[in-house]
């Protein structure tokens, strides 16, 4: 399978903050611990070993064994779970929402990046064990973000009849109603061995499991179990009790707000857009019916838009008795993860890394080791036929990533038999007006405004003529324009990166297990570039 790549800046899809992070810009270095180079992991291992509460390991293994009790577990995953009880075992983590049928393609890229990094670490530091972990976002409650996936340009949406959808954690939602999605999906995916596998995967995952957590675990395990992936749902009370000290700090000292607010101000001052704005208390209260913010007012604590309230002593009792009911939001979840896991590195997308970069000083205040932050691999999947079409249209890989109007204008100018670039005329006009400015200054300076107005008018006239000529040439070259637009629309659905739109099943139905095998071969998390992977002969 041929592979090309381009740099992240050339894609035009990554923010200045992430691009500067990837180049290790000096002004950003205070916002992270170590940059994820292979040689930096030795120090990270040493620091985490000295900072982690190793007594959590046995509870961690116990919880994981319980969560896997109804699954067929591969030897690799079983070995990885068991290894977590040893002090020389470390995790590499990626997190993701419980998107319907995995959601967009980048779900696969996250997990492949995570597994491949553990392999690289084992080669470099063989005295330790490295476990790839998928942290399921079971406590998120934004149902509208996860209840659909896109296949062949069509949206398959789950209309859940559960009245709690959108009100409480998605992980506990019933899978009722997914039989309707299954019927539509089955009709769309068609027949054949690989399509039948996908139908069985959907059916076994969603129609034979009662809740979204179990269904998602089943599907991720089926796809990646043979590679040793360990999947965790961290809402278990046995794990949450180890987070009680940090929850107390959040409730009574507001440590996260104090520290992240300062970090946000510094990041803003450098001209970057902040990903997440911290709250004074970054905790939700969670039960089967609700997940709502905890707020403090006049020394008492309340659950937003409910009748639930506590005094300080009462909320402490609730926390000690039911730690599982205290759910960290996006600002606290990273800390919780690093408290309960012997983790070295978090792998995520640009948006995730952006909010992690707000948290370093908060981790320091809590005296918890800040993990290394690695940008997940990104890729564009294309067929050999599409690549051949690109070459016939004389479009470079870099040009594919341009906005469509820019790409079409550039190609029309290139293939047109007349010159549609009026730059020489504009330069000549500016030169002519410079003489008129000099003349006005020598005679009557009050004419300078009139000269300027005339210059602007004539330059605008040339712009309009250029645009009309370009538009006329687009009409004349209509077939060529349509082929260019058609190819880009295939590779960039909804004018967005394919990995953020298309579900993996669209490619799995065509290439089967080869899809994941080739991703495992081609995606190197230590390579900082955007891959273009070509399938077919």
């Amino acid at each position: 399978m041929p592979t090309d790549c381009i740099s992240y800046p050339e894609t035009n899809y990554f923010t200045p903050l992430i691009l500067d992070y990837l180049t290790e810009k000096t002004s950003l270095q205070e916002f992270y611990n170590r940059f994820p180079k292979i040689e930096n992991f030795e120090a990270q291992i040493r620091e985490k070993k000295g900072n982690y509460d190793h007594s959590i390991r046995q509870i961690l293994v116990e919880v994981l064994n319980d969560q896997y009790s109804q699954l067929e577990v591969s030897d690799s995953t079983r070995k990885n779970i068991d290894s977590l009880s040893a002090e020389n075992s470390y995790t590499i983590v990626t997190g993701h929402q419980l998107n319907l049928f995995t959601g967009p393609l980048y779900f696969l890229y996250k997990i492949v990046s995570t597994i491949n990094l553990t392999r690289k670490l084992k080669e470099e530091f063989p005295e330790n064990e490295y476990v790839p972990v998928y942290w399921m976002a079971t406590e998120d409650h934004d149902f509208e973000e996860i209840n659909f996936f896109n296949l062949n340009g069509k949206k398959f949406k789950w209309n859940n009849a559960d009245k709690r959808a959108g009100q409480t954690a998605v992980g506990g939602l019933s899978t009722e109603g997914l039989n309707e999605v299954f019927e539509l999906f089955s009709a769309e995916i068609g027949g054949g061995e690989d399509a039948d596998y996908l139908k069985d995967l959907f059916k076994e995952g969603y129609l034979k499991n009662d809740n979204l957590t179990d269904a998602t675990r089943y599907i991720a395990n089926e796809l990646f179990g043979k590679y040793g992936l360990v999947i965790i749902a961290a809402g278990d009370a046995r794990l949450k009790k180890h987070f009680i000290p940090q929850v107390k700090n959040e409730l009574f000292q507001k440590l996260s707000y104090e520290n992240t607010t300062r970090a946000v101000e510094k990041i803003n001052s450098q001209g970057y857009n902040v990903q997440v704005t911290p709250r004074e208390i970054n905790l939700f209260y969670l039960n089967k019916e609700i997940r709502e913010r905890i707020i403090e007012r006049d020394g008492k604590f309340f659950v937003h838009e409910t009748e639930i309230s506590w005094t300080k002593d009462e909320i402490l009792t609730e926390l000690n008795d039911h730690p599982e009911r205290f759910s960290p939001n996006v600002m606290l979840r990273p800390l919780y993860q690093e408290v309960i896991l012997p983790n070295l590195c978090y792998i995520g997308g640009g948006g995730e890394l952006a909010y992690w970069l707000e948290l370093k000083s908060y981790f320091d205040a809590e005296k918890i080791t800040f993990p290394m932050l690695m940008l997940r691999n990104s890729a564009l999947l294309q067929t050999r036929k599409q690549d051949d079409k690109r070459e016939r249209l004389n479009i470079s890989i870099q040009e594919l990533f341009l906005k469509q109007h820019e790409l079409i204008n550039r190609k029309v100018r290139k293939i047109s038999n007349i010159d549609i670039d009026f730059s020489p005329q504009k330069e000549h006009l500016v030169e002519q007006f410079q003489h008129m400015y000099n003349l006005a200054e020598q005679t009557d300076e009050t004419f300078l405004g009139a000269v300027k107005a005339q210059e602007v008018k004539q330059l605008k006239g040339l712009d309009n003529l250029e645009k009309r000529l370009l538009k006329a040439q687009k009409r004349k070259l209509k077939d060529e324009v349509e082929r260019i637009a058609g190819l880009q629309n295939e590779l960039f659905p909804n004018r967005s990166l394919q990995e953020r739109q298309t579900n993996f099943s669209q490619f799995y139905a065509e290439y089967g297990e080869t899809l994941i095998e080739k991703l495992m071969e081609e995606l190197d998390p230590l390579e900082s570039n955007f891959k273009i992977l070509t399938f077919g002969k």
Side-chain angles (χ1 to χ4, degrees):
M1 181 180 70
T3 303
D4 288 299
C5 64
I6 64 174
S7 69
Y8 284 114
E10 288 177 302
T11 69
N12 304 305
Y13 279 97
F14 291 81
T15 64
L17 176 61
I18 295 305
L19 296 178
D20 287 346
Y21 173 69
L22 293 176
T23 60
E24 301 179 66
K25 187 175 179 180
T26 304
S27 62
L28 288 177
Q29 289 176 4
E30 68 174 289
F31 302 110
Y32 60 91
N33 195 5
R34 297 178 180 88
F35 194 77
K37 297 175 180 176
I38 194 70
E39 62 267 24
N40 289 342
F41 275 91
E42 185 174 11
Q44 189 73 19
I45 291 167
R46 190 163 54 247
E47 182 179 349
K48 187 66 179 183
K49 184 173 185 177
N51 182 262
Y52 180 63
D53 180 359
H54 294 279
S55 69
I56 299 173
R57 289 182 179 274
Q58 293 304 324
I59 298 296
L60 184 60
V61 172
E62 178 184 304
V63 169
L64 287 168
N65 282 330
D66 287 349
Q67 293 181 356
Y68 272 86
S69 62
Q70 302 301 313
L71 287 180
E72 198 172 305
V73 186
S74 70
D75 291 342
S76 297
T77 295
R78 174 60 57 206
K79 175 178 174 291
N80 278 338
I81 291 174
D82 291 343
S83 79
L84 286 169
S85 62
E87 291 196 9
N88 69 332
S89 180
Y90 300 93
T91 63
I92 303 297
V93 176
T94 193
H96 197 67
Q97 294 172 295
L98 307 190
N99 295 70
L100 186 59
F101 213 43
T102 74
L105 264 168
Y106 69 78
F107 172 80
L108 269 64
Y109 304 163
K110 278 184 167 184
I111 291 179
V112 169
S113 300
T114 302
I115 295 168
N116 280 344
L117 181 57
T118 62
R119 292 178 172 185
K120 298 273 185 184
L121 289 170
K122 187 62 178 174
E123 291 173 7
E124 190 73 18
F125 309 106
E127 66 276 13
N128 300 310
E129 300 299 325
Y130 308 95
V131 178
V133 172
Y134 162 36
W135 178 291
M136 292 193 292
T138 57
E139 294 186 5
D140 280 3
H141 63 266
D142 197 338
F143 181 68
E144 294 298 320
E145 284 190 0
I146 67 162
N147 68 343
F148 67 94
F149 63 94
N150 298 310
L151 168 64
N152 298 332
K154 300 175 183 177
K155 187 174 186 176
F156 292 78
K157 186 175 180 180
W158 174 24
N159 296 309
N160 194 321
D162 193 329
K163 293 179 180 178
R164 300 174 302 157
Q167 305 299 317
T168 190
V170 296
L173 293 179
S174 165
T175 51
E176 184 182 353
L178 279 167
N179 56 316
E180 297 171 7
V181 180
F182 173 67
E183 295 300 329
L184 294 170
F185 171 68
S186 296
E188 180 66 28
I189 206 71
E193 184 179 345
D194 295 319
D196 289 343
Y197 169 79
L198 290 169
K199 284 183 271 191
D200 286 342
L201 183 63
F202 193 107
K203 185 176 181 179
E204 293 292 322
Y206 293 110
L207 306 190
K208 294 190 178 180
N209 283 288
D210 295 333
N211 61 70
L212 194 54
T213 293
D214 291 344
T216 304
R217 184 189 293 112
Y218 175 86
I219 289 169
N221 183 61
E222 284 294 307
L223 292 173
F224 291 103
K226 75 176 185 178
Y227 301 102
L229 181 69
V230 172
I231 305 156
I232 186 168
D236 193 290
R238 289 169 290 180
L239 295 174
K240 283 280 184 78
K241 76 173 185 179
H242 291 282
F243 195 53
I244 288 175
Q246 289 77 24
V247 173
K248 287 180 181 178
N249 288 343
E250 182 65 13
L251 291 170
F252 307 127
Q253 297 185 39
K254 299 181 175 59
L255 273 189
S256 68
Y257 180 74
E258 178 185 324
N259 286 277
T260 56
T261 298
R262 283 199 298 267
V264 164
E265 289 171 355
K266 290 181 180 179
I267 292 169
N268 273 334
S269 70
Q270 295 188 38
Y272 302 116
N273 291 323
V274 172
Q275 189 71 18
V276 179
T277 302
R279 298 183 183 277
E280 288 195 1
I281 295 178
N282 292 283
L283 287 166
F284 289 89
Y285 186 70
L286 172 66
N287 60 33
K288 290 182 179 179
E289 303 301 323
I290 61 165
R291 183 176 186 251
E292 276 288 354
R293 290 190 292 120
I294 297 173
I295 56 178
E296 187 263 338
R297 190 167 59 243
D298 299 326
K300 289 193 71 175
F301 296 88
F302 301 84
V303 177
H304 186 55
E305 295 189 346
T306 75
E307 299 298 317
I308 302 171
S309 66
W310 307 273
T311 65
K312 178 178 178 179
D313 289 341
E314 288 169 344
I315 201 170
L316 276 173
T317 299
E318 181 74 1
L319 174 60
N320 287 315
D321 291 347
H322 298 287
E324 73 280 5
R325 295 179 183 173
F326 291 78
S327 176
N329 77 352
V330 67
M331 300 300 285
L332 249 63
R333 188 207 63 78
L335 186 76
Y336 176 44
Q337 171 190 295
E338 297 303 311
V339 166
I340 67 170
L341 294 180
N343 191 45
L344 302 175
C345 179
Y346 183 79
I347 296 180
E352 291 175 281
L353 265 54
Y355 72 71
W356 273 90
L357 289 170
E358 299 175 29
L359 300 175
K360 173 65 166 57
S361 60
Y362 171 45
F363 272 68
D364 291 344
E366 286 283 7
K367 298 181 173 57
I368 301 295
T369 296
F370 196 68
M372 297 165 87
L373 303 176
M374 179 173 284
L375 185 67
R376 64 167 172 82
N377 286 114
S378 283
L380 172 68
L381 310 185
Q382 63 174 1
T383 64
R384 168 51 63 193
K385 184 178 178 181
Q386 287 169 328
D387 197 44
D388 289 343
K389 185 176 181 180
R390 176 187 65 79
E391 291 183 347
R392 287 197 302 273
L393 291 168
N394 196 27
I395 299 172
S396 69
I397 292 291
Q398 288 81 1
E399 286 175 327
L400 265 183
F401 286 79
L402 291 172
K403 300 295 183 186
Q404 191 162 105
H405 71 277
E406 293 178 23
L407 172 61
I408 290 172
N409 287 352
R410 180 181 293 194
K411 301 318 290 184
V412 166
R413 291 178 191 277
K414 212 175 257 190
I415 62 180
S416 180
N417 57 4
I418 59 173
D419 191 357
I420 313 177
D421 183 4
F422 283 8
S423 296
Q425 289 86 348
K426 292 174 187 176
E427 290 174 10
H428 179 69
L429 187 64
V430 169
E431 287 177 9
Q432 294 300 309
F433 270 91
Q434 187 57 51
H435 293 304
M436 297 180 71
Y437 284 127
N438 293 336
L439 185 62
E441 286 175 351
Q442 293 172 28
T443 55
D444 188 343
E445 290 188 2
T446 61
F447 282 104
L448 285 172
V451 173
K452 180 63 178 176
Q454 193 62 225
E455 180 187 24
V456 169
K457 181 179 179 180
Q458 293 196 29
L459 284 171
K460 188 175 181 180
L462 282 176
D463 278 336
N464 289 334
L465 287 173
E466 187 176 13
K467 288 174 184 176
R468 288 183 64 180
L469 186 57
L470 185 60
K471 191 174 181 180
Q473 280 301 96
K474 284 181 184 178
R475 287 196 299 269
K476 187 175 180 180
L477 300 168
K478 181 182 176 185
D479 290 345
E480 196 89 1
V481 167
E482 287 180 349
R483 285 197 292 272
I484 292 169
L487 175 62
Q488 196 183 51
N489 290 340
E490 288 175 14
L491 296 172
F492 295 81
N494 294 325
R495 308 283 176 91
S496 179
L497 285 179
Q498 175 196 78
E499 64 180 34
R500 299 178 188 172
Q501 298 288 324
T502 306
N503 185 256
F504 85 100
S505 60
Q506 184 166 319
F507 297 93
Y508 200 102
E510 181 73 21
Y511 303 108
E513 180 60 21
T514 300
L515 170 66
I516 294 178
E517 290 173 353
K518 290 301 182 182
L519 293 177
M520 294 294 300
E521 290 175 15
E522 299 288 346
L523 299 185
D524 182 348
L526 295 169
E527 281 185 19
S528 186
N529 52 42
F530 192 109
K531 290 285 184 76
I532 293 87
L533 308 181
T534 306
F535 286 78
K537 297 179 181 179

